[in-house]
Amino acid sequence: MFSIMGLGVYYSKVKDYEKALIYYEKALPMAIQVKDKKQNSIIYTNMGVAYSHLAQPTKALYYYSQSMKLKKETKDKIGQSILWGDIGEFYSRGKRYDSAVICFETSIGLAKNIGRKVTVKNSLLNLAEVYAEQKEFDKAHTALSEYMVYKDSLFNEDNQKRIASLEYNYEIDKKQKEILLLQKDKDLQSVENEKQKQAVLLLTNLQAIKNKELQLLSQQQLVQRIENEKKEQQIDLLNKDKAIQNTNLELLNKDKLLSENQIRNLHQERLLQAEEAKLQKIIAFSLAGGLCAVFILAGLLYWQNKNKQKANLLLQAKNEEIAAQKEQILEKSEKMLQINEEIKTMNEELNSTLDLANFQKREIEKQHEDITASITYAQRIQTAMLPFEERISKSLQDFFVFYQPRDIVSGDFYWFQETSIGSYSIQETTQLAQDNKVIIVAADCTGHGVPGAFMSMIGNELLNQIVNMYHITSPDTILEALHKGILYALKQEQSNNKDGMDIAIVVLTKQQKDLSDTFEVSDENQKVSDKWSLLEYAGAMNPLYLVTAKNSEILPDYLRQNPTLSTENADFFDIKATKHPIGGHSEDSKSRVFEKHTFDLTKKAADESIWFYLCSDGYQDQFGGEKESKFMVRKFKKLLFDLHQQPLAEQKQVLEQTFRDWKGKHKQVDDVLVMGVRL
């Protein structure tokens, strides 16, 4: 309702009364429905005014009367006095001056009774104009004089109120600023506390992930040990099977020997039977030979009996030997059955163990997948925190970033920010100049993988606060603030924690045209120069590698004559960093100061280019090559110097290929970060 009514008031002010009436007619039933007599009377008044200006007096008087009726019901004396004035203006426009005089005098009387000086003043002025139209100049002069009295009185009251209001507003504004400052400090503290909670939570999660990795490793070792035991048991089974086969072969050989002995004994029995047959024939033939043959026969029988007894003894011995061998075979067969049962039991146990091992392996693989998924998600978060190369390219025309983590997440990170810092005239209304600064950071945190990634998140957040919230842009001051932030965030003064980072920061300045000669700030004057005016560097353990033309004027005297590497046309400089890391509690940790190096780029020749490189120590510490040694810093600096004249995109490709060739089949030992820029 109020918004619709507001549109009607707006169109009344711009004198579009027809549109105003449309919105008043929409608002009127709403006011009636909610039984808001005050708003209803206001709508009636506004509709009366609109119809008055549209020269529809009948409708105007109708809505004026409806409004007056409601104002009397609500005892709205102020509204009645104002409404009598509106009706008087209506009659005055219609040249019905007598009716207008009555309305204005009624308005003045009501306003004086309630002390409404503004309404008295306005109605007196209108009354004076009506008297003037009626040629009653004395009455017009009297009304106008009284009008001036009320006007002066209101002017003085307004001045006093305005002064009191200004004083009140000043006090209120002062208190509000104090409250805002306190609230801002409170909000900053709340944000800091929340970040610390998130950091603790993240550290807990990362520690849990590391514990799971250790558990995974121990479970994998258990599975490997079970598999080795299974292989040993299988070898034992094979050896036992071989022994059983040898025993069976031996039993077969003995059975064969036993069969041969039985055949030999049967043959001997047949020979004996043949001998007996021959003897019987001899006896039969010798009976006729007389008594002398009896003695011969008796001797022969005796000899035959002896031989038969001897053969029987041999046969009995053989039978006993065969029986003993059969018993041995039965015993061995029983042992074989027992061994087979043991083997069967062992196979069942092995199968059960194998099933358990397979189940544990599947569980380990699932845990490994979960851990890998968590770390991969952390990688997406870390990648999102790094600046996009498209964003960097808007400020730097020619650059590259070679970034290769050792694990899924990295302890190395790079950071980029562009800021504008202006200076103003004394009146704080005209901008005289503006410095556009580009801040480039390459950092190597303690550790790699999950612990390093955690530290990189802390460093990234602290840099955002230092540069974007506190507007610190000098590289040495950024390092000091970052060091104190790490000490506070990790509570290193209480815990003696040594974690931190090695870092290099370059700040490039591009100064805008001086506007001090004019107060007219045109778009042309605000255009930023394409030339860089200043390069500032500060580092904690990590150096800046700078390549310039031979004896470049941008170099300070202490550097110009001492290049690390040199050719006929170019010099390579290793700008040393301060030998203190960021973070880590020590005796001088609170007062740690970092050295800043400054290079005046306005002294650079028009056709001169300079190159600079920031990096971590992962590239030069990589093991590889024919001798399986480190790449080393000396070789890395020479590689950069040899490549500097090539396009930076090609430099990145060569650095990547050289790293892969050097590493070969070796594992990557650390995170790798190399950044290159040409100006």
Side-chain angles (χ1 to χ4, degrees):
M1 177 181 70
F2 292 104
S3 59
I4 296 174
M5 185 175 169
L7 288 171
V9 172
Y10 166 76
Y11 283 114
S12 292
K13 287 183 178 179
V14 298
K15 298 184 178 181
D16 190 348
Y17 298 108
E18 291 181 352
K19 281 190 177 179
L21 283 169
I22 293 172
Y23 289 103
Y24 290 145
E25 288 172 354
K26 289 181 179 180
L28 181 59
M30 298 181 185
I32 295 173
Q33 185 177 2
V34 297
K35 298 180 180 180
D36 190 343
K37 292 184 178 180
K38 184 176 181 181
Q39 293 299 324
N40 203 350
S41 67
I42 292 173
I43 295 173
Y44 281 137
T45 301
N46 292 341
M47 292 179 72
V49 172
Y51 279 118
S52 171
H53 285 283
L54 291 174
Q56 297 185 31
T58 303
K59 290 185 177 180
L61 286 173
Y62 169 75
Y63 287 110
Y64 281 142
S65 64
Q66 293 296 319
S67 178
M68 185 64 73
K69 180 180 178 182
L70 291 175
K71 291 184 185 298
K72 288 180 178 180
E73 289 179 0
T74 58
K75 298 180 180 180
D76 183 6
K77 298 294 185 180
I78 295 175
Q80 291 178 44
S81 65
I82 295 172
L83 183 57
W84 279 114
D86 291 338
I87 297 172
E89 290 181 13
F90 164 72
Y91 283 126
S92 177
R93 282 193 296 271
K95 300 186 183 302
R96 297 170 63 180
Y97 298 120
D98 292 337
S99 298
V101 169
I102 294 171
C103 291
F104 288 136
E105 288 179 346
T106 304
S107 174
I108 292 168
L110 286 171
K112 285 182 176 180
N113 289 334
I114 60 176
R116 180 76 176 177
K117 292 183 179 181
V118 174
T119 304
V120 173
K121 176 181 73 72
N122 294 336
S123 294
L124 283 170
L125 179 60
N126 291 328
L127 182 61
E129 291 175 352
V130 170
Y131 282 139
E133 291 290 335
Q134 291 179 323
K135 309 299 182 181
E136 297 182 14
F137 298 110
D138 292 337
K139 291 182 180 181
H141 181 267
T142 302
L144 190 61
S145 298
E146 192 175 357
Y147 161 77
M148 294 301 298
V149 171
Y150 275 94
K151 182 181 177 182
D152 292 340
S153 175
L154 285 171
F155 178 76
N156 293 331
E157 289 179 2
D158 287 343
N159 283 341
Q160 291 176 357
K161 289 180 180 179
R162 190 176 292 109
I163 293 170
S165 177
L166 288 173
E167 292 176 349
Y168 176 76
N169 289 336
Y170 173 76
E171 292 297 327
I172 292 296
D173 187 53
K174 182 178 178 182
K175 290 182 179 179
Q176 285 179 343
K177 287 182 178 179
E178 292 175 353
I179 292 170
L180 285 174
L181 288 174
L182 291 173
Q183 185 64 35
K184 186 175 181 180
D185 290 340
K186 185 177 179 181
D187 291 342
L188 288 174
Q189 186 63 37
S190 299
V191 170
E192 189 65 28
N193 292 337
E194 183 63 25
K195 287 179 180 178
Q196 288 181 5
K197 290 179 182 178
Q198 292 178 355
V200 171
L201 179 59
L202 180 57
L203 182 60
T204 303
N205 292 335
L206 293 175
Q207 187 61 42
I209 290 172
K210 194 164 187 68
N211 292 336
K212 284 188 177 181
E213 287 179 341
L214 294 174
Q215 182 182 2
L216 175 61
L217 180 61
S218 62
Q219 289 177 344
Q220 287 176 339
Q221 292 174 349
L222 175 62
V223 170
Q224 186 64 36
R225 186 168 64 252
I226 291 172
E227 289 180 350
N228 291 336
E229 291 177 357
K230 181 183 175 184
K231 288 179 180 178
E232 291 176 358
Q233 290 174 351
Q234 288 176 344
I235 291 170
D236 291 339
L237 288 175
L238 290 174
N239 291 333
K240 289 181 179 180
D241 286 339
K242 187 174 181 181
I244 291 170
Q245 290 176 1
N246 292 333
T247 303
N248 289 334
L249 183 61
E250 183 180 352
L251 290 174
L252 289 173
N253 290 332
K254 288 185 178 181
D255 286 339
K256 184 177 180 181
L257 180 60
L258 180 59
S259 299
E260 289 176 354
N261 290 333
Q262 288 176 344
I263 293 169
R264 191 180 296 109
N265 291 336
L266 183 59
H267 181 64
Q268 288 178 355
E269 286 179 356
R270 289 178 179 176
L271 289 175
L272 288 174
Q273 290 175 359
E275 288 292 333
E276 287 179 354
K278 287 179 181 180
L279 287 174
Q280 288 176 0
K281 288 179 181 180
I282 292 170
I283 293 170
F285 287 113
S286 62
L287 285 175
L291 292 173
C292 61
V294 173
F295 293 105
I296 296 170
L297 181 58
L300 290 171
L301 289 172
Y302 178 76
W303 175 76
Q304 182 183 8
N305 189 39
K306 285 290 186 182
N307 287 336
K308 188 175 182 179
Q309 288 179 354
K310 185 177 180 181
N312 288 333
L313 290 173
L314 289 173
L315 183 59
Q316 184 179 0
K318 290 291 183 181
N319 288 333
E320 290 176 355
E321 184 179 354
I322 290 170
Q325 290 177 352
K326 285 183 177 181
E327 289 179 359
Q328 292 177 358
I329 290 170
L330 289 173
E331 290 177 358
K332 289 183 178 181
S333 296
E334 290 177 355
K335 288 182 179 180
M336 288 302 299
L337 289 173
Q338 185 178 358
I339 290 171
N340 286 333
E341 289 294 329
E342 292 177 356
I343 291 171
K344 184 178 179 181
T345 303
M346 291 175 65
N347 280 331
E348 291 176 353
E349 292 176 353
L350 282 174
N351 289 331
S352 176
T353 303
L354 183 60
D355 291 341
L356 178 60
N358 288 331
F359 173 76
Q360 292 176 343
K361 183 179 180 181
R362 288 193 298 272
E363 288 293 315
I364 291 169
E365 289 174 349
K366 185 177 182 303
Q367 291 177 4
H368 185 266
E369 290 175 358
D370 293 341
I371 293 170
T372 303
S374 297
I375 298 176
T376 303
Y377 184 76
Q379 179 197 31
R380 291 201 295 270
I381 296 174
Q382 186 180 41
T383 303
M385 293 174 61
L386 297 174
F388 293 112
E389 293 192 10
E390 291 82 359
R391 177 184 163 210
I392 301 175
S393 64
K394 292 180 180 179
S395 301
L396 301 175
Q397 299 293 328
D398 208 357
F399 74 98
F400 74 82
V401 178
F402 173 31
Y403 177 66
Q404 183 168 312
R406 193 198 79 164
D407 303 311
I408 297 175
V409 290
S410 174
D412 289 1
F413 75 96
Y414 57 98
W415 190 86
F416 175 88
Q417 184 63 47
E418 183 175 8
T419 64
S420 297
I421 300 176
S423 59
Y424 296 84
S425 66
I426 297 174
Q427 291 81 7
E428 295 291 334
T429 58
T430 303
Q431 186 173 347
L432 301 180
Q434 178 170 305
D435 289 340
N436 293 282
K437 292 182 179 289
V438 169
I439 302 168
I440 309 165
V441 177
D444 181 1
C445 298
T446 304
H448 38 70
V450 173
F454 174 70
M455 182 60 66
S456 73
M457 292 174 66
I458 296 176
N460 186 86
E461 183 60 30
L462 287 173
L463 285 170
N464 284 330
Q465 291 182 10
I466 293 166
V467 175
N468 297 329
M469 291 179 61
Y470 304 124
H471 305 294
I472 297 173
T473 57
S474 181
D476 55 330
T477 311
I478 292 174
L479 290 179
E480 292 173 11
L482 182 60
H483 174 66
K484 292 177 181 177
I486 293 292
L487 288 177
Y488 177 77
L490 299 183
K491 297 181 175 61
Q492 292 185 332
E493 294 182 358
Q494 294 82 17
S495 63
N496 290 322
N497 179 281
K498 300 295 183 182
D499 292 330
M501 62 187 71
D502 300 337
I503 188 171
I505 301 179
V506 167
V507 178
L508 298 172
T509 302
K510 184 185 290 183
Q511 187 167 4
Q512 197 171 19
K513 181 179 178 181
D514 189 0
L515 307 177
S516 59
D517 296 335
T518 178
F519 289 105
E520 298 295 330
V521 185
S522 66
D523 292 338
E524 181 180 358
N525 286 335
Q526 288 183 340
K527 184 176 180 181
V528 178
S529 170
D530 291 333
K531 293 183 179 180
W532 298 103
S533 61
L534 192 67
L535 186 152
E536 299 170 286
Y537 156 75
M541 304 301 289
N542 281 358
L544 168 71
Y545 297 139
L546 181 67
V547 181
T548 68
K550 194 73 175 179
N551 297 321
S552 174
E553 292 297 324
I554 73 166
L555 297 168
D557 294 336
Y558 70 90
L559 279 177
R560 187 178 294 115
Q561 303 303 323
N562 297 293
T564 306
L565 298 170
S566 183
T567 63
E568 293 181 359
N569 300 318
D571 290 328
F572 181 97
F573 296 92
D574 182 356
I575 314 299
K576 301 297 183 183
T578 302
K579 295 299 181 182
H580 292 293
I582 298 297
H585 179 64
S586 62
E587 294 181 357
D588 66 337
S589 59
K590 288 188 177 180
S591 59
R592 194 168 292 176
V593 178
F594 298 89
E595 183 180 3
K596 180 172 74 171
H597 301 267
T598 303
F599 303 90
D600 187 356
L601 300 183
T602 60
K603 296 180 180 179
K604 182 170 70 71
D607 59 346
E608 181 184 353
S609 293
I610 67 169
W611 296 261
F612 66 86
Y613 302 90
L614 305 175
C615 61
S616 64
D617 58 1
Y619 200 106
Q620 53 263 36
D621 286 348
Q622 178 60 45
F623 281 92
E626 296 179 356
K627 297 182 180 180
E628 298 185 351
S629 58
K630 288 186 177 181
F631 193 85
M632 302 302 290
V633 176
R634 179 180 57 81
K635 188 183 297 183
F636 180 59
K637 290 189 286 191
K638 187 177 184 305
L639 175 61
L640 292 177
F641 191 39
D642 292 342
L643 292 175
H644 79 274
Q645 290 184 335
Q646 298 184 22
L648 265 73
E650 294 182 10
Q651 292 187 37
K652 179 181 178 181
Q653 292 176 0
V654 174
L655 285 169
E656 290 176 344
Q657 187 61 47
T658 302
F659 184 78
R660 284 195 297 269
D661 294 342
W662 178 264
K663 182 169 72 71
K665 296 182 180 180
H666 292 79
K667 291 183 178 179
Q668 186 173 331
V669 299
D670 200 357
D671 302 314
V672 174
L673 173 61
V674 183
M675 301 179 71
V677 178
R678 183 177 73 87
L679 301 176

